[in-house]
Amino acid sequence: METPKRKSKYQLVAPDGGWGYVVAAALTLMTSVTIIPMSSFGLIFGRFLAKIGDETTGTTLANGIFNTCFNITGLASNNLLQKYTYRTVALVGASVYFVGSFATIFVTTLPQMVLSFGVIQGLGMGLMVPAFFTALNSYFDRKLNIVNAAAQAFMVVAGMCFPFVGQFFMEKFGFRGTVAMLSGLSIHGVLAACTLQPVEWHLRKQEITFEKEELLGLDDGKFIMPKPRASIISLGDRALSVTTINKSPGKKTNFLQNLAKSMDLGMFKDPVYVNIALGLALGFTADVAFISIIPLVLINAGFNSHETAFFMSVFFAADLLARIFLTVISALTKIKNRYYFLTGSALLVVFRTAFVSRNDYYWKLATVACVGFLRAFIQTPLPVVISEQYSENFSTAFSLYMVVCGVVCFIFGPLMSFVKKVTQSDVMVVHLLSLAYLTCVVTWIIELIIKKLRKKQEPKNKPQLK
């Protein structure tokens, strides 16, 4: 008798290519018309904010509110993605962002600027970015790191070029014309969101071997869906935890229940977690706030717009070189990402202080390059620090970090404005941001010393066996 042939069973796996490359291109387009122009915020909005009050106060306040809305909305959007498709969330986010960008064309006061840019665009970005990242994470598995690295490289290169583009727009079209151009560019985010097709349309069939079938204990079903998998995606100065989402029919999820599940406040009882989350939040806030005021510091120090644009390009070029350097070092060594972050924070205190200590051309050029190089030591390891320490409950840990980060951004915006108002000095604002890094360095070193001392005492406390 002939042995009956075993019916083939398949599992559906991520495309790792195909339409996924369109999604990757859409993500790149989205960042090009939203995140990248923000790197030249001070260059574009500085003169306008100076006319209606104080450019440093306006910049720090608007960006502080923006980052607060981004982080808080980003936390909520991860739960919205459990109920709605990433294309729907991305379309809503891109539309809201465009409305805020369009409204910014007509602002005449700082409160209007805070509302249109800080609140509305911040909310739109908080919805849009997680949706795009989730789509990318759904389409790629083995090639995810490669695609993400390529997107990061493109973003840094574009960041090097955009200061010159922004300066050209300002000279050619003026302030409101430039903001109108940026608003027109931002609507391309809506077109990019339209390309985020459901990954179920493109999943590949992969035959399951007999050994794997026995191991998995599959039933008579012909297909099995890929399991949800969490990962961290970092792009520029934005880092998010995203998950591929496979909705099971018949199982309805409640938004508030999902949000409450991701908000396990019991983690705040862990002093190590509080120390890590607060240190990362201080580092993130000090980084994004400093980028927004670099052009203002340079212009107020006597440099013209062309020189400022060149300095910003050098800053991002150094950032790109540092990312390549860290990639090579990470491949050759097994240094924890927390130590990279700690080293970068300590050195940034030194080099940012040096950056504002003198105003001659070559000193500024050298120090801005050093600061740009060290920035990669903050942004590249930032999202991985929590996953190294809390891999088992990473989603909760990262969600709570986003809340902490939102609160810190909310506090630092008005605080920076207050310091500028009292001291009338951009240098003191930079020192305040350096103090944020210094706080992270001191608290982390104290924690590591305590851990080391406890580790040395452990063998002495253990009873010796006879």
Side-chain angles (χ1 to χ4, degrees), residues 100-371:
S101 180
F102 184 77
T104 305
I105 301 173
F106 308 101
V107 298
T108 56
T109 64
L110 182 57
Q112 292 174 353
M113 179 77 184
V114 169
L115 177 63
S116 63
F117 174 79
V119 177
I120 301 177
Q121 287 187 245
L123 292 174
M125 184 74 79
L127 291 171
M128 182 168 45
V129 173
F132 274 89
F133 286 168
T134 300
L136 186 72
N137 194 47
S138 300
Y139 272 89
F140 291 94
D141 185 6
R142 291 179 294 103
K143 296 181 181 179
L144 179 62
N145 290 335
I146 297 174
V147 173
N148 185 41
Q152 286 197 46
F154 177 86
M155 184 175 179
V156 176
V157 172
M160 291 165 52
C161 301
F162 194 83
F164 294 106
V165 176
Q167 179 59 30
F168 173 78
F169 283 169
M170 288 291 289
E171 292 177 351
K172 198 77 174 175
F173 307 110
F175 166 68
R176 298 202 182 275
T178 300
V179 178
M181 292 289 288
L182 296 181
S183 177
L185 287 175
S186 70
I187 202 171
H188 288 80
V190 176
L191 300 178
C194 292
T195 67
L196 305 183
Q197 296 181 358
V199 70
E200 290 81 5
W201 296 1
H202 302 278
L203 291 173
R204 292 186 297 111
K205 289 195 302 181
Q206 187 179 76
E207 188 173 353
I208 303 173
T209 62
F210 179 75
E211 292 77 10
K212 189 173 183 180
E213 183 181 338
E214 290 290 325
L215 182 65
L216 294 173
L218 295 178
D219 54 20
D220 293 331
K222 192 173 181 182
F223 298 103
I224 60 170
M225 291 293 290
K227 293 181 179 179
R229 51 188 172 81
S231 71
I232 314 161
I233 294 184
S234 174
L235 202 56
D237 54 9
R238 311 289 169 204
L240 291 155
S241 167
V242 298
T243 306
T244 54
I245 298 168
N246 301 318
K247 301 182 181 69
S248 53
K251 186 179 180 181
K252 295 184 178 180
T253 56
N254 182 278
F255 172 75
L256 293 177
Q257 289 176 346
N258 286 331
L259 186 60
K261 188 177 179 181
S262 66
M263 296 280 286
D264 180 11
L265 299 181
M267 292 202 70
F268 285 129
K269 295 179 181 178
D270 179 3
V272 174
Y273 174 75
V274 173
N275 193 28
I276 291 176
L278 186 59
L280 293 176
L282 287 169
F284 171 84
T285 303
D287 180 70
V288 295
F290 182 71
I291 289 177
S292 66
I293 66 170
I294 289 178
L296 305 179
V297 173
L298 291 169
I299 290 173
N300 291 337
F303 296 98
N304 61 41
S305 299
H306 293 284
E307 290 172 328
T308 301
F310 176 69
F311 281 134
M312 293 301 296
S313 295
V314 170
F315 177 89
F316 287 110
D319 182 14
L320 177 60
L321 289 175
R323 289 172 190 266
I324 297 171
F325 171 76
L326 282 176
T327 302
V328 174
I329 294 298
S330 299
L332 298 176
T333 63
K334 292 185 179 180
I335 301 173
K336 285 187 176 181
N337 283 275
R338 190 177 183 187
Y339 296 145
Y340 285 125
F341 191 95
L342 180 59
T343 303
S345 298
L347 292 175
L348 275 169
V349 173
V350 176
F351 282 99
R352 284 193 182 182
T353 303
F355 172 72
V356 295
S357 64
R358 288 168 53 183
N359 289 330
D360 55 280
Y361 183 88
Y362 290 106
W363 179 265
K364 286 292 189 193
L365 185 63
T367 52
V368 82
C370 292
V371 172

Side-chain angles (χ1 to χ4, degrees), residues 30-40 70 97 125 129 133 155 235-238:
M30 183 274 293
T31 59
S32 299
V33 298
T34 56
I35 296 176
I36 291 173
M38 289 181 61
S39 63
S40 299
F70 169 78
Y97 187 90
M125 184 74 79
V129 173
F133 286 168
M155 184 175 179
L235 202 56
D237 54 9
R238 311 289 169 204

Side-chain angles (χ1 to χ4, degrees), residues 87-97 124 127:
R87 179 158 59 179
T88 301
V89 177
L91 280 169
V92 172
S95 300
V96 171
Y97 187 90
L127 291 171

Side-chain angles (χ1 to χ4, degrees), residues 394-455:
F394 167 74
S395 181
T396 299
F398 202 90
S399 295
L400 289 176
Y401 154 72
M402 291 182 70
V403 175
V404 174
C405 197
V407 173
V408 172
C409 288
F410 181 76
I411 294 172
F412 259 76
L415 184 59
M416 291 166 66
S417 302
F418 175 77
V419 170
K420 177 60 189 293
K421 187 176 181 180
V422 171
T423 64
Q424 293 298 310
S425 170
D426 293 328
V427 173
M428 293 306 298
V429 176
V430 175
H431 287 327
L432 174 65
L433 296 178
S434 298
L435 181 62
Y437 281 126
L438 186 60
T439 303
C440 171
V441 171
V442 172
T443 56
W444 280 20
I445 288 177
I446 291 173
E447 178 206 323
L448 294 172
I449 291 173
I450 292 173
K451 277 185 177 180
K452 194 168 184 180
L453 292 175
R454 285 179 178 176
K455 196 172 181 180

